[in-house]
Amino acid sequence: MQLGRVVGCVWSSVKNLGLTGQRLLIVQPVKADLSLTGRAIICTDCTGAGSGELIYWVRGKEASFPFTDAEVPSDATIVGIVDELNLGKPRTEEHL
Amino acid sequence: MQLGRVVGCVWSSVKNLGLTGQRLLIVQPVKADLSLTGRAIICTDCTGAGSGELIYWVRGKEASFPFTDAEVPSDATIVGIVDELNLGKPRTEEHL
Amino acid sequence: MQLGRVVGCVWSSVKNLGLTGQRLLIVQPVKADLSLTGRAIICTDCTGAGSGELIYWVRGKEASFPFTDAEVPSDATIVGIVDELNLGKPRTEEHL
Amino acid sequence: MQLGRVVGCVWSSVKNLGLTGQRLLIVQPVKADLSLTGRAIICTDCTGAGSGELIYWVRGKEASFPFTDAEVPSDATIVGIVDELNLGKPRTEEHL
Amino acid sequence: MQLGRVVGCVWSSVKNLGLTGQRLLIVQPVKADLSLTGRAIICTDCTGAGSGELIYWVRGKEASFPFTDAEVPSDATIVGIVDELNLGKPRTEEHL
């Protein structure tokens, strides 16, 4: 899964039926140190995340798992809201 | 899903049977600020999007969901036309 | 789908049984303006494309759709030959 | 599969039911020479890997294989801990 | 599929049961001119490829096709060894 931050949403009246009723949130990917990285994408959501929240999303076929019955044509779904990132001390790279 | 803009189409008489009757649109990916990014790709379409329209497309297995019965060999399908992008104020990156 | 040009082929006697009888073509990805981009990949083919032809290919699970019965372990298949690329005038990026 | 190192974990109370009880580890991708590369991601885990361990993870649909019954919406799962990386002498690039 | 060269292997006693008995080879991706590109990955193998051999591998769901019965959690599998790369003369980029 990837870390990201909810930065907006998309209004879209003309869309595939499978997306009806789905929230379409704009998510900006972030690194573990919360700096921005890569381009914003559009995610469906199954957590109720709000604007500005730190979340993680899943890509590909798994993105439709949370909507198991309906065939939601989504390749990116927010599956969790981050309470806390727990990072160990940065390591030297050499040893196995 | 990814944001993009329809910039053209492909004429192709020799193609897999599963693509017969499908519109093959050329889509230029764009960022949330509508600047261009990455290379143009070819999408099938289930929304009737026209040239110049701002759309969002889905990749991978989900790209064939909108055509559930037929096995359309497509890995990128336009699933919605954007009415409006609603972006919150850009955030400082530090806090969780 | 991605645009590309057939630039060669691979001879391979030791390979997975599922690839027996499949053409293994080397494809150089190109942009919509036909300039080269990214690294060449190996595609199976279901169109009979020849060397130098402009084609489009599909990635992932959909790459095995054209061979529906056999389980061809391919993640990239040429699914069409381009007759013509029809590109609208390049747009200014601002407006929706 | 990709090489990586466990560098932390995520605490997340609001998440998809399918992730209940799953460890959510932060993994920093590394190259074969153990130098860092790319951005950290979040992986589910089926090996009990600890912080600092060198692991390899699998992406996409296969990431849910280890949890075959439950539909775990994960696109990245740690599937092994590295005991030893056995690298041959670097080769000159020309010959086939 | 992608071109690559076998450069080593991984010893791993703690791993998912589905990987038991599988060779875990380290593969360095290469371009069509055999120059190195991108970072090394770990592949399962169904061809018996040896160190230094030029191979091609498949990603994603198709990577588990060669092991059809067992659910091998692999997203990259070597599916063929290259005998010969047959590249046409490099083309000028303009014409269709």
Side-chain angles (χ1 to χ4, degrees):
Chain A
M1 281 73 73
Q2 316 270 337
L3 278 170
R5 193 181 290 284
V6 178
V7 294
C9 65
V10 174
W11 302 111
S12 171
S13 39
V14 176
K15 59 192 171 197
N16 180 268
L17 274 181
L19 288 172
T20 308
Q22 296 293 341
R23 301 176 76 207
L24 298 175
L25 300 180
I26 302 173
V27 170
Q28 169 61 51
V30 296
K31 296 181 186 172
D33 60 6
L34 304 189
S35 59
L36 311 191
T37 178
R39 70 183 184 225
I41 64 165
I42 300 174
C43 287
T44 41
D45 171 44
C46 71
T47 62
S51 183
E53 290 210 271
L54 190 66
I55 54 91
Y56 49 98
W57 85 87
V58 70
R59 286 187 301 190
K61 182 79 179 64
E62 299 63 47
S64 59
F65 275 17
F67 316 105
T68 8
D69 310 332
E71 285 221 330
V72 177
S74 167
D75 62 1
T77 297
I78 297 172
V79 288
I81 299 174
V82 176
D83 298 335
E84 189 187 324
L85 287 182
N86 195 316
L87 285 165
K89 285 185 307 310
R91 299 172 55 86
T92 49
E93 294 167 3
E94 312 73 28
H95 70 81
L96 196 54
Chain B
M1 283 74 72
Q2 316 270 335
L3 278 170
R5 195 182 288 286
V6 178
V7 294
C9 64
V10 173
W11 302 111
S12 170
S13 39
V14 176
K15 60 193 171 196
N16 180 267
L17 275 182
L19 288 171
T20 308
Q22 295 294 340
R23 302 175 77 207
L24 297 176
L25 300 180
I26 303 174
V27 170
Q28 169 61 51
V30 295
K31 295 180 186 170
D33 61 7
L34 305 189
S35 59
L36 311 191
T37 178
R39 69 183 184 224
I41 64 166
I42 299 174
C43 288
T44 41
D45 172 44
C46 71
T47 61
S51 183
E53 290 209 271
L54 189 67
I55 55 93
Y56 48 98
W57 85 87
V58 70
R59 285 186 303 190
K61 183 79 179 63
E62 299 63 48
S64 59
F65 276 16
F67 316 105
T68 6
D69 311 332
E71 284 220 331
V72 177
S74 167
D75 61 1
T77 296
I78 298 173
V79 287
I81 299 175
V82 176
D83 298 335
E84 188 187 324
L85 286 182
N86 196 316
L87 285 164
K89 285 186 308 310
R91 299 173 55 85
T92 49
E93 295 167 2
E94 309 74 25
H95 71 81
L96 197 54
Chain C
M1 283 73 73
Q2 316 270 335
L3 278 170
R5 194 181 288 286
V6 178
V7 294
C9 66
V10 173
W11 302 110
S12 170
S13 39
V14 176
K15 58 194 172 195
N16 180 267
L17 273 181
L19 288 171
T20 309
Q22 297 293 342
R23 302 175 75 207
L24 297 176
L25 300 179
I26 302 173
V27 170
Q28 169 62 51
V30 295
K31 295 180 187 171
D33 61 8
L34 304 188
S35 58
L36 310 192
T37 178
R39 69 180 184 229
I41 64 165
I42 300 174
C43 288
T44 41
D45 171 45
C46 71
T47 62
S51 183
E53 290 210 271
L54 189 66
I55 54 92
Y56 48 98
W57 85 86
V58 70
R59 286 187 302 190
K61 182 78 178 67
E62 299 64 48
S64 57
F65 276 16
F67 317 105
T68 3
D69 311 332
E71 283 220 331
V72 177
S74 168
D75 61 1
T77 297
I78 297 173
V79 286
I81 300 174
V82 176
D83 299 334
E84 189 188 323
L85 286 182
N86 195 316
L87 285 164
K89 286 188 305 316
R91 298 172 55 86
T92 49
E93 294 167 5
E94 308 74 24
H95 70 83
L96 197 55
Chain D
M1 282 72 75
Q2 315 269 337
L3 278 169
R5 194 181 290 283
V6 178
V7 293
C9 65
V10 174
W11 301 112
S12 170
S13 41
V14 176
K15 59 192 172 198
N16 180 268
L17 274 181
L19 289 171
T20 308
Q22 296 293 341
R23 301 176 76 208
L24 298 175
L25 301 180
I26 302 173
V27 170
Q28 170 61 51
V30 295
K31 296 180 186 173
D33 61 7
L34 303 189
S35 59
L36 310 192
T37 177
R39 71 181 183 225
I41 64 165
I42 300 174
C43 287
T44 41
D45 171 44
C46 71
T47 63
S51 183
E53 291 209 271
L54 189 66
I55 55 93
Y56 48 98
W57 85 88
V58 70
R59 286 187 301 191
K61 182 80 178 65
E62 299 63 48
S64 58
F65 276 16
F67 317 105
T68 8
D69 311 333
E71 285 222 327
V72 176
S74 167
D75 61 1
T77 296
I78 297 172
V79 287
I81 300 175
V82 176
D83 299 334
E84 189 188 323
L85 286 183
N86 195 316
L87 284 165
K89 285 184 310 311
R91 301 171 57 85
T92 49
E93 293 168 6
E94 312 73 29
H95 70 81
L96 196 53
Chain E
M1 283 74 74
Q2 316 269 336
L3 278 169
R5 194 182 287 287
V6 178
V7 294
C9 65
V10 174
W11 302 111
S12 171
S13 39
V14 176
K15 59 194 172 196
N16 181 267
L17 273 181
L19 288 171
T20 309
Q22 295 294 340
R23 301 176 73 207
L24 298 176
L25 300 180
I26 302 173
V27 170
Q28 169 61 51
V30 295
K31 296 180 186 172
D33 61 7
L34 304 189
S35 58
L36 310 192
T37 177
R39 70 181 184 228
I41 64 165
I42 299 174
C43 287
T44 41
D45 170 45
C46 71
T47 62
S51 183
E53 290 210 90
L54 190 66
I55 54 93
Y56 48 98
W57 85 88
V58 70
R59 286 188 301 193
K61 181 80 179 66
E62 299 64 47
S64 58
F65 277 15
F67 316 105
T68 5
D69 312 331
E71 284 221 328
V72 177
S74 167
D75 61 1
T77 297
I78 298 173
V79 286
I81 300 175
V82 176
D83 298 336
E84 190 188 321
L85 286 182
N86 194 317
L87 285 164
K89 287 187 306 314
R91 299 170 59 83
T92 49
E93 293 170 7
E94 308 73 27
H95 71 81
L96 196 54

